[in-house]
Amino acid sequence: MGCKNCCNACLQCLFGYETNVMLVINNKGVGALFRLIQFLIIAYVAVYVCWIQRAYQDTDSVISSVSTKVKGNILTNSPIEGVHVWDVPEYVIPPQGENTFFVLTNVILTPGQRQSKCPETPSEVTKCESDSDCKEGYSDVHGNGVQTGHCVQYSDKIKTCEVQAWCPLENDANIPKPAVLSAAEDFTVLIKNNIQYPKFKFKKRNILPHINSTYLKSCMFNRKTDPDCPIFRLGDMVTEAGEDFSVMALKGGIIGIFIDWNCDLDFSERFCIPKYSFSRLDNKNPENNVAPGYNFRFAKYYKINESIDTRTLIKAFGIRFDVIVFGMAGKFNIVPTIVNLGATLAFLSLTAAICDWVMLTCMKDRDNYAKHKFIHLNQNGDNMPLSSMEASSYGTP
């Protein structure tokens, strides 16, 4: 008998069909919970999904090209070079860069270098007492040349190993203060940026339609008065990045110029305009200030009497400006709209499931609710509550 009842219960589970029954419960707690969950889901969809994320739109990432043009001149008077006018070809290195440009701000010059022999600069490796301390043909990675095997006088008290190198050797122990080209903060740069969103066949540039040649010759970027001008003063960019130009000019650094092209193409094209921001990118940690700033070396070569190769070695300190363009464009599309609408309806269907669970688990009248919630209909058309059905299945009188 027990086996028969078990088989009947299994058959009912396998071939039974469940349909929803509308059960109205006048319970303020469950009703308030139901409406609260509905409100939270609708608010989430309206505010976050639709307004913030714009999930009803199709999106595309920006493709960009950048070109820059720096302008400015500086007059200097140094013991090495005398009176010298620095113009764009000298302080913008290299003349052309991909989304980046370097402006020279400080310099250490070593003029008149020739291929010859001279004492190496003192260090723990290069100091010596006799020729036996020097190894002919040895080249230190951090040195300036190849040792000849001789120990020679570097100063009155110090001897170092002689090297075959470009002599005289560079002495970069003392960096000029203030920076030689500290006036570079008044230089300006024109940034030309062309962008496109291929999916939407949308193209634009940061020189906006209302900007003409007359305006371009006189404007200067200012976040409040001239936010659309593509000409920037170097000192202003460094200041907006939270740095002092005169301090940064001593050893150099890296400044990021960020151009934000986030656009909502459901609105007019005139609302799609670039937004500029600036930040220092190289590490400036006072607790770990090893190898700070930004510098490199290059040389200018010439000949004396058309036979002797001579050069001026230049250790250049300066600020590298990296132009970083980013952005996302969105436009209404029916496919993501339908997908997110379906997701919203799915979320709303969970509301009843959560309230049913609370009603059947946490309420004090849960047994009474369950008796009316689950009703089984037999073949004779009689209905029987779940409690009675369970009793008959297990043979309870």
Side-chain angles (χ1 to χ4, degrees):
M1 187 67 179
C3 183
K4 184 179 180 180
N5 291 334
C6 183
C7 290
N8 289 336
C10 290
L11 288 173
Q12 289 173 0
C13 291
L14 183 61
F15 296 104
Y17 169 70
E18 297 177 357
T19 184
N20 293 329
V21 175
M22 185 66 69
L23 180 64
V24 179
I25 299 174
N26 293 322
N27 186 295
K28 293 181 179 179
V30 177
L33 177 64
F34 181 72
R35 298 305 178 193
L36 175 62
I37 296 175
Q38 281 185 328
F39 172 77
L40 292 176
I41 292 174
I42 293 173
Y44 163 77
V45 171
V47 176
Y48 183 76
V49 176
C50 294
W51 183 29
I52 298 177
Q53 293 293 320
R54 295 189 179 94
Y56 57 87
Q57 293 181 330
D58 193 9
T59 58
D60 193 16
S61 298
V62 70
I63 296 177
S64 166
S65 67
V66 173
S67 63
T68 59
K69 184 182 291 185
V70 181
K71 289 186 177 181
N73 298 291
I74 294 180
L75 177 67
T76 60
N77 189 356
S78 68
I80 297 176
E81 285 200 338
V83 177
H84 187 95
V85 175
W86 297 78
D87 59 3
V88 173
E90 287 190 286
Y91 62 73
V92 178
I93 309 163
Q96 298 293 332
E98 184 178 350
N99 293 3
T100 185
F101 61 95
F102 174 85
V103 176
L104 188 70
T105 57
N106 207 2
V107 63
I108 296 176
L109 298 175
T110 309
Q113 284 190 328
R114 302 177 185 178
Q115 287 283 336
S116 58
K117 298 175 183 178
C118 52
E120 179 65 281
T121 52
S123 70
E124 294 299 324
V125 179
T126 60
K127 287 181 181 179
C128 60
E129 296 294 334
S130 63
D131 292 349
S132 59
D133 297 327
C134 303
K135 184 179 179 181
E136 184 178 359
Y138 174 73
S139 176
D140 183 11
V141 209
H142 304 290
N144 295 284
V146 180
Q147 291 187 11
T148 62
H150 299 293
C151 181
V152 295
Q153 205 75 34
Y154 178 82
S155 64
D156 294 339
K157 298 181 179 180
I158 299 175
K159 286 185 176 183
T160 61
C161 294
E162 185 182 57
V163 290
Q164 180 78 34
W166 284 95
C167 300
L169 300 180
E170 176 190 67
N171 181 6
D172 62 349
N174 298 315
I175 299 175
K177 294 182 181 180
V180 176
L181 302 178
S182 58
E185 65 177 324
D186 292 323
F187 293 169
T188 61
V189 57
L190 166 64
I191 299 178
K192 294 187 286 186
N193 177 214
N194 295 274
I195 64 104
Q196 60 177 301
Y197 290 103
K199 186 181 291 187
F200 306 123
K201 298 180 180 178
F202 178 86
K203 295 182 179 180
K204 200 166 186 179
R205 61 177 187 161
N206 67 327
I207 301 178
L208 302 177
H210 68 272
I211 295 178
N212 54 36
S213 57
T214 304
Y215 172 78
L216 202 60
K217 289 178 181 179
S218 59
C219 77
M220 186 76 68
F221 175 82
N222 184 288
R223 196 165 297 282
K224 294 181 179 179
T225 60
D226 254 342
D228 297 332
C229 181
I231 298 177
F232 303 84
R233 180 176 173 270
L234 302 190
D236 293 341
M237 291 192 289
V238 173
T239 300
E240 282 214 26
E243 300 294 331
D244 186 330
F245 191 94
S246 61
V247 175
M248 196 173 183
L250 291 174
K251 297 183 179 180
I254 303 173
I255 293 292
I257 304 172
F258 301 96
I259 307 179
D260 180 1
W261 280 97
N262 282 314
C263 297
D264 188 347
L265 299 183
D266 288 330
F267 295 94
S268 172
E269 178 186 334
R270 64 188 179 88
F271 292 109
C272 183
I273 57 176
K275 299 177 181 65
Y276 303 97
S277 59
F278 313 92
S279 177
R280 182 165 184 170
L281 300 181
D282 59 313
N283 183 30
K284 187 191 172 186
N285 186 354
E287 297 178 0
N288 184 15
N289 201 28
V290 179
Y294 186 83
N295 66 79
F296 59 89
R297 291 176 176 84
F298 66 98
K300 294 180 179 179
Y301 295 86
Y302 55 95
K303 286 183 179 289
I304 297 179
N305 299 326
E306 298 184 357
S307 59
I308 302 174
D309 287 329
T310 309
R311 75 177 190 183
T312 297
L313 179 64
I314 301 170
K315 183 174 183 179
F317 300 85
I319 303 174
R320 194 183 81 192
F321 294 87
D322 292 346
V323 184
I324 302 169
V325 182
F326 63 96
M328 189 76 70
K331 196 171 187 179
F332 175 79
N333 189 289
I334 191 62
V335 175
T337 302
I338 292 175
V339 170
N340 283 282
L341 181 60
T344 303
L345 295 175
F347 277 129
L348 288 173
S349 67
L350 293 175
T351 307
I354 295 172
C355 291
D356 283 351
W357 181 84
V358 172
M359 179 184 68
L360 299 173
T361 307
C362 305
M363 308 294 291
K364 63 180 180 179
D365 294 331
R366 56 183 176 272
D367 293 334
N368 185 38
Y369 294 149
K371 182 174 64 175
H372 293 85
K373 173 70 176 173
F374 303 103
I375 299 175
H376 288 256
L377 190 67
N378 60 27
Q379 292 180 351
N380 297 325
D382 300 327
N383 57 57
M384 188 167 30
L386 178 63
S387 57
S388 301
M389 192 68 188
E390 290 175 346
S392 63
S393 299
Y394 291 97
T396 303

